[in-house]
């Protein structure tokens, strides 16, 4: 197009990201709302969301308050698991039933595991899920027991209480001169206290001394034993050791013959079954504490042969309460783990081969590491307080060779000690922390990104950088009281980091900041969706799913599990506004005036909708100052009308699928004698924007002193 | 893999975009390239094996031997040693029960091995439990410890080392679910005679017969 005298035309301004700054280059605009950057370098209007489980005619599934969603592949990628915490229950998706099954929840929903979990809209972290090699750790928020789900069985994670102490019976002495003559000792028929079944054979417990005078003469020494035990569940998690039993002791007993038959057996009872999911009990017995210089307990093998069945536990069941013990001291070799009750915690992270837990109830600055492979079994051996000031742990994230640990105002890295036996923490920053654990993600360039109290930060392995300087002004609108509930994931399909958080005082995460690592800048989504939790499927689909609600075409928010960036005929979302505000153009040369004459909008044919262009002048967002006020153009080239879905007639020459091609359209819009001006390009239809050009007439010598 | 969705719902006014058409079709092309799983099939979608190629979901291998135990022929029952029965030797060593033994090639998968059989002592109906017997499942000759009947520990098993039976043609089942690596594997039912609680010496008149017996191996996916 030709230019009139004095007119200047800008180069094509390719818009990608936004900034709140007053003075920015023209290609960095002040708002890019509801667009994604395409592979070809354009901005395309977002679409969706749609329900992951559509209404197939029986009505929409009733979800309730959304709290989180998680996808995983278990069993070497063969089992596809989608979990959602909505309402009062945690659900697992059953595609074959076109429904969800209640996994954990109150009895009213007939779940697989009955347990009451929090369900309200208070500010909490989203429900945390941690993928382990053999299952998923589920941590509803906040401060409730954690669960473990292996794709089939769901159970509480670990044991939070030691079992009650057992009691023991053994030989007793009725009178001086008649040692060990009653109690659980003798020979006879039946299986009862006071008698032993002769089929049990000879005892193996105790020590004998041989007298010099006779071949078979000697004495049984006095001995004393105690027992402890711990539960083991189907996932291999161990419980704390019970208290010690009463000591079973017997007195010295001389015999003139039958020295090999004089040793004893004992009976342990009160060995309580564990909670559901318990597979066995591991008994730990002392050796003879009167004659062996240790009072430690050792694991009792299930039989002296080393265990032909159920070798994972002394008692490989969850029923038996008694154990007749004839395991000799020499078979006691292995000490049991000194397991502590699993605490209540809010956060977990799989790193360095262990499950680390943090934000522990009553000890918020402590992090603990599980035993390797036993994700719900904790000892005191790996306790760390990363923050010497005792700040509450607000995030943990595995990085190569270590783990990042955050408080709200500090960041630490946990690495193994030089000897590899322990772990230590050292600070990365004592001023920058994380406020929302569900926002920590890896970027494709290897950096870790998260939400801090005043914006977003990245860690590149060496240091922390602040990356949200460009949106600091807009960040003032964030509801900081609800930052903790923010949720974010990196979308591999569109290659952008999305963080949903609460804006303008709402209680929902109804606004999304989008960080584009390719263009190193920000965009935003405000598409009438509220996402309480996000996940990206760990399969070839790489779907981004959200637990939340979305407004339908009538403006009513519908709760559900949503598939973002996809649309289908089962759900019509509320109309979106696709908006681009340019920066204040000419901001660097505003000391002389210019008149805006025209704008060229570079588009790709997309739909039959329209695009509205508004113009503002001189740092003021007052409308109606341009002439014409709000001109519109079509979202496709009017010079060569493309075939439109549901419009073209089958069988005619124009009925064909086309590759959408770029074009530009002129918009005559006049703003006389401005210092600066700003454009708003908006539509409610699907559009794809390539860039803009500005045609203006600068008034270099307008008579004004400069 | 589970559910797939088109990216863009075509609506009135959208341009008939060939690229988006391809984008919408591609997910379904991906699925039929081998990513279908249990989420893609409705419950009871396949009610007949004729709808499935053999081995498509589970593969079943079974071997069996029918034996006439001569039940009801006399009272007390005969001390039979039918021709097709398997006589467990008194050597005390694990022996493979004939017929309940199969070798075939599996994928890297989980196998459900089910053995069911009748066992009968040489003096069925006798008053005392004179000798014991143990059974176990073996894969590639390796006994699965968890499948051994009985405990082998005399001190904590009042019945002696193993199961002791005086019943006529007593039915039993031993089964296991076990992961196996891809390759050829031999699945077998094993048995051995073990002492009773008194450790009595075996005589030539002491034996157990395995009568009707079957082994089924389900290769799960």
């Amino acid at each position: 197009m030709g230019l009139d005298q004095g007119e200047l035309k800008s180069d094509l301004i390719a818009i990608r990201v936004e900034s709140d700054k007053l003075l920015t280059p023209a290609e960095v605009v002040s708002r890019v709302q509801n667009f994604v950057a395409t592979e070809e370098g354009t901005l395309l209007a977002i679409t969706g969301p749609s329900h992951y489980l559509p209404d197939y005619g029986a009505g929409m599934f009733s979800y309730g308050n959304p709290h989180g969603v998680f996808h995983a592949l278990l069993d070497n990628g063969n089992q596809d698991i989608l979990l959602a915490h909505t309402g009062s229950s945690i659900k697992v998706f059953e595609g074959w039933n076109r429904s969800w099954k209640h996994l954990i929840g109150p009895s009213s929903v007939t779940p697989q595991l009955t347990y009451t979990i929090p369900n309200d809209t208070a500010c909490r972290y989203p429900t945390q899920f941690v993928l382990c090699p053999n299952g998923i750790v589920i941590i509803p928020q906040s401060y409730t027991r954690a669960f473990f789900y292996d794709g089939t069985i769901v159970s509480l994670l670990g044991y939070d209480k030691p079992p009650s102490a057992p009691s023991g019976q053994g030989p007793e002495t009725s009178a001086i001169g008649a040692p060990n003559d009653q109690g659980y000792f003798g020979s006879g028929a039946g299986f009862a206290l006071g008698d032993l079944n002769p089929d049990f054979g000879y005892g193996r417990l105790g020590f004998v001394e041989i007298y010099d005078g006779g071949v078979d003469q000697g004495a049984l020494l006095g001995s004393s034993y105690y027992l402890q035990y711990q539960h083991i569940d189907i996932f291999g998690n161990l419980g704390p050791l019970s208290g010690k039993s009463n000591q079973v002791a017997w007195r010295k007993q001389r015999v003139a013959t039958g020295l090999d038959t004089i040793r004893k057996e004992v009976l342990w009872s009160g060995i309580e079954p564990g909670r559901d999911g318990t597979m066995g009990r591991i008994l730990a017995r002392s050796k003879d504490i009167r004659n062996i210089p240790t009072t430690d307990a050792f694991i009792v093998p299930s039989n002296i042969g080393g265990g032909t069945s159920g070798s994972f536990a002394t008692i490989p069941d969850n029923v038996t309460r008694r154990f007749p013990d004839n395991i000799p001291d020499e078979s006691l070799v292995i000490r049991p783990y000194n397991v502590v009750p699993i605490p209540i915690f809010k956060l977990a992270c799989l790193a360095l081969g262990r499950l680390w837990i943090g934000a522990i109830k009553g000890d918020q600055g402590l992090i603990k590491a599980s035993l390797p492979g036993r994700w719900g079994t904790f000892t005191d051996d790996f306790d760390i307080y990363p923050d010497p000031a005792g700040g509450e742990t607000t995030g943990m994230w595995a990085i190569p060779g270590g783990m990042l640990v955050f408080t709200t105002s500090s960041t630490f890295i946990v690495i193994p000690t030089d000897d590899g036996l322990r772990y230590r923490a050292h600070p990365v920053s004592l001023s920058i922390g994380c406020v929302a654990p569900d926002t920590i993600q890896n970027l494709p360039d290897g950096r870790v990104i998260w939400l801090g109290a005043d914006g977003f930060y990245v860690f590149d392995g060496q240091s922390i950088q602040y990356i949200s300087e460009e949106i600091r002004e807009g960040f003032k609108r964030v509801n900081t009281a609800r930052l903790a509930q923010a949720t974010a994931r990196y979308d591999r399909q569109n290659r952008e980091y999305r963080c949903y958080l609460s804006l303008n005082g709402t209680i929902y995460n109804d606004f999304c900041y989008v960080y584009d690592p390719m263009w190193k800048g920000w965009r935003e989504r405000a598409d009438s969706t509220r996402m309480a939790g996000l996940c990206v499927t760990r399969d070839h689909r790489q779907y981004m799913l959200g637990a939340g609600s979305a407004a339908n075409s009538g403006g009513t928010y519908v709760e559900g599990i949503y598939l973002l960036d996809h649309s289908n005929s089962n759900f019509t979302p509320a109309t979106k506004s696709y908006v681009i505000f340019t920066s204040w153009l000419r901001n660097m040369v505003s000391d002389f005036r210019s008149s805006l004459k025209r704008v060229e909008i570079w588009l790709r044919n997309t739909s039959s909708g329209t695009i509205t262009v508004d113009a503002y002048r001189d740092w003021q967002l007052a409308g109606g100052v341009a002439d014409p006020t709000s001109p519109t153009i079509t979202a496709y080239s009017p010079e060569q009308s493309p075939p439109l879905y549901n419009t073209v007639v089958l069988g005619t020459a124009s009925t064909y699928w086309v590759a959408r091609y770029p074009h530009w359209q002129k918009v005559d819009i006049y703003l006389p004698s401005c210092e600066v001006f700003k454009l708003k390009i908006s539509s409610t239809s699907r559009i794809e924007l390539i860039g803009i050009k500005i045609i203006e007439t600068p008034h270099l010598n307008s008579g004004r002193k400069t | 893999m589970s559910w797939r969705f088109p990216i863009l719902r075509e609506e009135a006014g959208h341009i008939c975009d060939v690229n988006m058409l391809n984008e919408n079709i591609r997910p379904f092309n991906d699925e039929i390239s081998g990513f279908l799983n249990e989420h893609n099939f409705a419950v009871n979608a396949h009610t007949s094996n004729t709808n499935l190629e053999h081995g498509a979901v589970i593969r079943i291998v079974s071997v069996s031997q029918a034996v006439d135990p001569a039940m009801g022929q006399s009272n007390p029952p005969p001390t039979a040693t039918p021709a097709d029965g398997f006589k467990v030797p008194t050597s005390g060593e694990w022996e493979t029960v004939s017929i309940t033994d199969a070798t075939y090639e599996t994928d890297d998968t989980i196998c459900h091995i089910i053995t069911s059989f009748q066992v009968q002592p040489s003096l069925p109906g006798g008053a005392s439990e004179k000798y014991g017997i143990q059974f176990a499942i073996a894969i590639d000759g390796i006994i699965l410890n968890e499948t051994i009947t009985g405990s082998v520990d005399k001190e904590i098993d009042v019945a002696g080392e193993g199961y002791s039976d005086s019943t006529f043609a007593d039915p039993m089942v031993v089964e296991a679910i076990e992961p196996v690596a891809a390759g050829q594997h031999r699945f077998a039912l094993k048995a051995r005679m073990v002492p009773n609680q008194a450790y009595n010496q075996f005589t030539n008149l002491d034996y157990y017969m395995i009568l009707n017996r079957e082994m089924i191996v389900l290769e799960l996916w």
Side-chain angles (χ1 to χ4, degrees), chain A residues 396-415:
Chain A
M396 295 187 290
W397 191 255
I399 59 174
M403 179 177 68
L404 289 175
V405 180
F406 301 90
T407 71
T408 56
S409 59
S410 56
T411 304
F412 302 86
I413 187 168
V414 173
I415 57 174

Coordinates of all heavy atoms in Angstrom, one line a residue, chain A residues 396-415:
Chain A
M396 N 9.5 -29.0 48.0 CA 10.7 -29.9 47.8 C 10.6 -30.3 46.3 O 9.6 -30.6 45.8 CB 10.6 -31.1 48.7 CG 10.7 -30.7 50.2 SD 10.8 -32.1 51.3 CE 9.2 -32.8 51.1
W397 N 11.8 -30.4 45.7 CA 11.9 -30.7 44.3 C 13.2 -31.4 44.0 O 14.3 -30.9 44.4 CB 11.7 -29.4 43.5 CG 11.5 -29.7 42.0 CD1 12.4 -29.6 41.0 CD2 10.3 -30.1 41.4 NE1 11.8 -29.9 39.8 CE2 10.5 -30.3 40.0 CE3 9.0 -30.4 41.9 CZ2 9.5 -30.7 39.2 CZ3 8.0 -30.9 41.0 CH2 8.3 -31.0 39.7
A398 N 13.1 -32.5 43.3 CA 14.3 -33.3 43.0 C 15.0 -32.6 41.8 O 14.4 -32.2 40.9 CB 13.9 -34.7 42.6
I399 N 16.3 -32.5 42.0 CA 17.2 -32.0 40.9 C 18.3 -33.0 40.7 O 18.5 -33.8 41.6 CB 17.7 -30.6 41.2 CG1 18.5 -30.6 42.5 CG2 16.6 -29.6 41.3 CD1 19.2 -29.3 42.8
P400 N 19.0 -32.9 39.7 CA 20.1 -33.8 39.5 C 21.1 -33.8 40.7 O 21.7 -32.8 41.0 CB 20.8 -33.4 38.2 CG 19.7 -32.7 37.4 CD 18.9 -32.0 38.5
G401 N 21.3 -34.9 41.3 CA 22.2 -35.0 42.4 C 21.8 -34.5 43.7 O 22.5 -34.5 44.7
G402 N 20.6 -34.0 43.8 CA 20.1 -33.5 45.1 C 18.7 -33.1 45.1 O 17.9 -33.7 44.3
M403 N 18.3 -32.3 46.0 CA 16.9 -31.9 46.2 C 16.8 -30.4 46.7 O 17.6 -30.1 47.6 CB 16.2 -32.8 47.2 CG 14.7 -32.5 47.4 SD 13.9 -33.6 48.5 CE 14.8 -33.3 50.0
L404 N 16.0 -29.6 46.1 CA 15.8 -28.3 46.5 C 14.7 -28.3 47.6 O 13.7 -29.1 47.5 CB 15.3 -27.4 45.4 CG 16.3 -27.0 44.3 CD1 15.6 -26.2 43.2 CD2 17.4 -26.2 44.9
V405 N 14.9 -27.6 48.7 CA 14.0 -27.5 49.8 C 13.7 -26.0 50.0 O 14.7 -25.2 50.1 CB 14.5 -28.2 51.1 CG1 13.5 -28.0 52.2 CG2 14.8 -29.6 50.8
F406 N 12.5 -25.7 50.1 CA 12.1 -24.3 50.3 C 11.4 -24.0 51.6 O 10.7 -24.9 52.1 CB 11.1 -23.9 49.1 CG 11.7 -24.1 47.7 CD1 11.5 -25.3 47.1 CD2 12.4 -23.0 47.1 CE1 11.9 -25.4 45.8 CE2 12.8 -23.2 45.8 CZ 12.6 -24.4 45.2
T407 N 11.6 -22.8 52.1 CA 10.7 -22.2 53.0 C 10.0 -21.0 52.3 O 10.4 -20.8 51.1 CB 11.3 -21.7 54.3 OG1 12.1 -20.6 54.0 CG2 12.2 -22.8 54.9
T408 N 9.2 -20.3 52.9 CA 8.6 -19.1 52.2 C 9.7 -18.1 51.9 O 9.5 -17.3 51.0 CB 7.5 -18.5 53.0 OG1 8.0 -18.1 54.3 CG2 6.3 -19.4 53.2
S409 N 10.8 -18.1 52.6 CA 11.8 -17.0 52.4 C 13.2 -17.5 52.3 O 14.2 -16.8 52.5 CB 11.7 -16.0 53.5 OG 11.9 -16.7 54.8
S410 N 13.4 -18.8 52.0 CA 14.7 -19.3 51.8 C 14.7 -20.5 51.0 O 13.7 -21.2 50.8 CB 15.4 -19.6 53.2 OG 14.6 -20.5 53.9
T411 N 15.9 -20.9 50.4 CA 16.0 -22.0 49.6 C 17.3 -22.8 49.9 O 18.3 -22.1 50.1 CB 16.1 -21.6 48.1 OG1 14.9 -20.8 47.8 CG2 16.1 -22.8 47.2
F412 N 17.2 -24.1 50.0 CA 18.3 -24.9 50.4 C 18.4 -26.0 49.4 O 17.5 -26.4 48.7 CB 18.1 -25.5 51.8 CG 18.0 -24.4 52.8 CD1 16.7 -23.9 53.1 CD2 19.0 -23.9 53.5 CE1 16.5 -22.9 54.0 CE2 18.9 -22.9 54.4 CZ 17.6 -22.4 54.7
I413 N 19.6 -26.6 49.3 CA 19.8 -27.8 48.5 C 20.3 -28.9 49.4 O 21.2 -28.7 50.3 CB 20.8 -27.5 47.4 CG1 20.9 -28.7 46.4 CG2 22.2 -27.1 47.8 CD1 21.6 -28.4 45.1
V414 N 19.7 -30.1 49.3 CA 20.1 -31.2 50.1 C 20.9 -32.2 49.2 O 20.4 -32.5 48.1 CB 18.9 -31.9 50.7 CG1 19.2 -33.3 51.3 CG2 18.1 -31.0 51.7
I415 N 22.0 -32.6 49.6 CA 22.9 -33.5 48.8 C 23.5 -34.5 49.8 O 23.5 -34.3 51.0 CB 24.0 -32.7 48.1 CG1 24.9 -31.9 49.2 CG2 23.5 -31.8 47.1 CD1 26.1 -31.3 48.6

